Amino acid sequence: MSEPRSEAERLDGSDPLAALRDRFVLDEVTYLDGNSLGALPAHVPARVDDVVRRQWGELRIRSWEESGWWTAPERIGDRIAPLVGAAAGQIVVGDSTSVNVFKALVAAVRMAQDDGGDGDGGDGGGAGRDEILVDATTFPTDGYIAESAARMTGCTLRPVTPAEVPSALAARGDRTAAVLLNHVDYRTGRLHDLPALTRAVHACGAYAVWDLCHSAGALPVGLDEHGVDLAVGCTYKYLNGGPGSPAYLYVRRDLQPRFDSPLPGWNSHAEPFGMRSAYAPASGAVRGRVGTPDILSLLALDAALDVWDEDGVSVAAVRAKSLALTDFFLRCVGAYVPAGRVESVTPAAHAERGSQVALRCDDAGEVMKRLIEGGVVGDFRAPDVLRFGFTPLYVGFADVERAARVLARTLG
């Protein structure tokens, strides 16, 4: 590699996404924590101001119809759909990721136990499907939710690593109802093989539920292409929807008539304003709704998604830049940081890497604190991991070079 600073300048000069940086509110800080909270798109405050002052302040209750509030969860779901490789009509936005994991996982188990086990062509009696496999390396909340879902459905929870899933299914696949996996490991940035693992789950007649929090908006997902049954994800990371912005739930179209939510609410009723005592589910992705949507956060997200639509950004272009950024960061770290001070736990192979780099480091918590004081914002995961998330829409190669240089200086 040529001298890193001149290389960064060259790469930024040829970056087809470089102009997008101006669409975000940024300062002199090198912000590499987009895998926890994306930066603010510059046009969002004015849009939210309109929602508050005009839609709420002037139109008030009329905005449920006149401003499209009532149909926003499905409309915004259709905007997210192309970013995760889904056709319209299969995603609904609302609630948190945790709530949507619960809905998806319980519904998956119910389908497996009700349909004779034929999740996607497998064999075996549904009544015998009494196990849920969960990613043993998952973000803790997914594990908590899976444990609760297992108790609720009379299943046993079996934590396994994604690499162990095929062998676990080969051994006891006839007992498996559902498998909950993360597309990208939140700690290491490892990208798991969604197509192959989904095929393995289907081969034994179970249902695949994927958590896309660390992949949506950073890399291709291909939900429809790979026949994923159900998926969930947040919108405040690479989709830049804002702190606490609502999550989304994907239900494959052919499964929607059988999607039995454990949280039926008036918003998912076939006649939401009929106020009937008996629940009758609506058709389509609307079945994933529960109660009144959080309109302010929902419409802030709606505005944030304009960056993708108005600028014609493709997920393929974002993925290409993501890999270039992470490659360059690892090269800069190798050039600047003394040998033995950090160790990458993120896979080097592109097919196994998300859009972050995780470095194992002694006293990582203190190191990250000093990095932030030095103007490089990443984050720390106990006990010894420095995480750096790369959002290709606004992170440039000069940011990457500076982060590695400050890291080397911080480590002394």
Side-chain angles (χ1 to χ4, degrees), residues 168-206:
L169 293 174
R172 297 172 62 87
D174 60 335
R175 301 290 299 276
T176 305
V179 181
L180 173 62
L181 295 166
N182 290 267
H183 197 193
V184 175
D185 186 291
Y186 80 99
R187 184 181 285 107
T188 67
R190 176 178 289 276
L191 172 63
H192 297 300
D193 192 341
L194 180 148
L197 289 170
T198 301
R199 286 195 300 270
V201 172
H202 288 166
C204 75

Side-chain angles (χ1 to χ4, degrees), residues 11-382:
L11 290 169
D12 278 332
S14 60
D15 173 18
L17 301 181
L20 292 174
R21 185 183 182 93
D22 293 337
R23 296 290 302 267
F24 292 86
V25 177
L26 298 166
D27 50 26
E28 297 305 312
V29 169
T30 298
Y31 189 68
L32 300 181
D33 207 0
N35 54 333
S36 290
L37 177 64
L40 171 67
H43 66 282
V44 168
R47 188 77 62 82
V48 172
D49 184 73
D50 177 72
V51 172
V52 172
R53 294 181 184 276
R54 183 182 65 83
Q55 296 181 33
W56 178 14
E58 298 176 16
L59 296 180
R60 294 179 287 274
I61 197 70
R62 292 162 52 194
S63 274
W64 285 103
E65 180 177 349
E66 294 181 27
S67 300
W69 287 2
W70 183 259
T71 57
E74 295 80 57
R75 174 174 54 80
I76 300 171
D78 285 347
R79 299 188 71 188
I80 292 173
L83 304 182
V84 292
Q90 299 176 100
I91 293 179
V92 64
V93 180
D95 305 312
S96 67
T97 304
S98 301
V99 171
N100 283 322
V101 168
F102 182 71
K103 287 186 282 190
L105 195 54
V106 172
V109 173
R110 287 175 173 176
M111 287 189 288
Q113 293 178 341
D114 288 347
D115 67 2
D118 298 330
D120 196 30
D123 298 318
R129 294 194 177 269
D130 58 1
E131 292 186 348
I132 297 172
L133 300 190
V134 63
D135 183 348
T137 61
T138 189
F139 188 76
T141 289
D142 283 20
Y144 307 154
I145 294 293
E147 183 179 8
S148 178
R151 291 198 309 269
M152 182 177 183
T153 57
C155 288
T156 298
L157 187 66
R158 296 180 62 204
V160 296
T161 66
E164 295 169 334
V165 166
S167 60
L169 293 174
R172 297 172 62 87
D174 60 335
R175 301 290 299 276
T176 305
V179 181
L180 173 62
L181 295 166
N182 290 267
H183 197 193
V184 175
D185 186 291
Y186 80 99
R187 184 181 285 107
T188 67
R190 176 178 289 276
L191 172 63
H192 297 300
D193 192 341
L194 180 148
L197 289 170
T198 301
R199 286 195 300 270
V201 172
H202 288 166
C204 75
Y207 288 81
V209 181
W210 284 92
D211 183 330
L212 309 178
C213 285
H214 287 270
S215 57
L219 53 91
V221 178
L223 293 178
D224 287 353
E225 177 185 359
H226 302 302
V228 169
D229 302 306
L230 302 120
V232 303
C234 67
T235 61
Y236 48 78
K237 300 182 190 296
Y238 298 109
L239 298 182
N240 306 295
S245 58
Y248 57 89
L249 170 67
Y250 165 90
V251 182
R252 201 177 70 211
R253 192 180 310 279
D254 62 303
L255 297 179
Q256 290 173 4
R258 301 174 51 227
F259 180 81
D260 182 10
S261 175
L263 296 173
W266 76 286
N267 266 225
S268 63
H269 197 286
E271 297 181 71
F273 295 97
M275 303 303 163
R276 303 184 185 282
S277 58
Y279 180 74
S283 59
V286 177
R287 287 190 178 208
R289 292 177 65 161
V290 183
T292 305
D294 185 339
I295 291 298
L296 298 184
S297 291
L298 191 61
L299 297 186
L301 166 64
D302 190 28
L305 293 171
D306 288 350
V307 173
W308 295 85
D309 295 343
E310 294 178 1
D311 292 280
V313 181
S314 74
V315 176
V318 167
R319 176 58 169 167
K321 183 177 177 182
S322 166
L323 291 172
L325 287 168
T326 49
D327 279 344
F328 186 59
F329 180 67
L330 288 169
R331 294 202 304 272
C332 289
V333 168
Y336 288 150
V337 177
R341 297 304 304 275
V342 297
E343 173 195 3
S344 176
V345 295
T346 301
H350 286 182
E352 299 175 6
R353 188 195 309 165
S355 198
Q356 73 179 61
V357 171
L359 302 177
R360 184 169 286 125
C361 173
D362 292 338
D363 202 13
E366 180 60 26
V367 170
M368 182 53 68
K369 178 181 177 182
R370 289 165 58 198
L371 279 172
I372 293 172
E373 291 171 350
V376 174
V377 178
D379 67 4
F380 157 69
R381 286 292 179 266

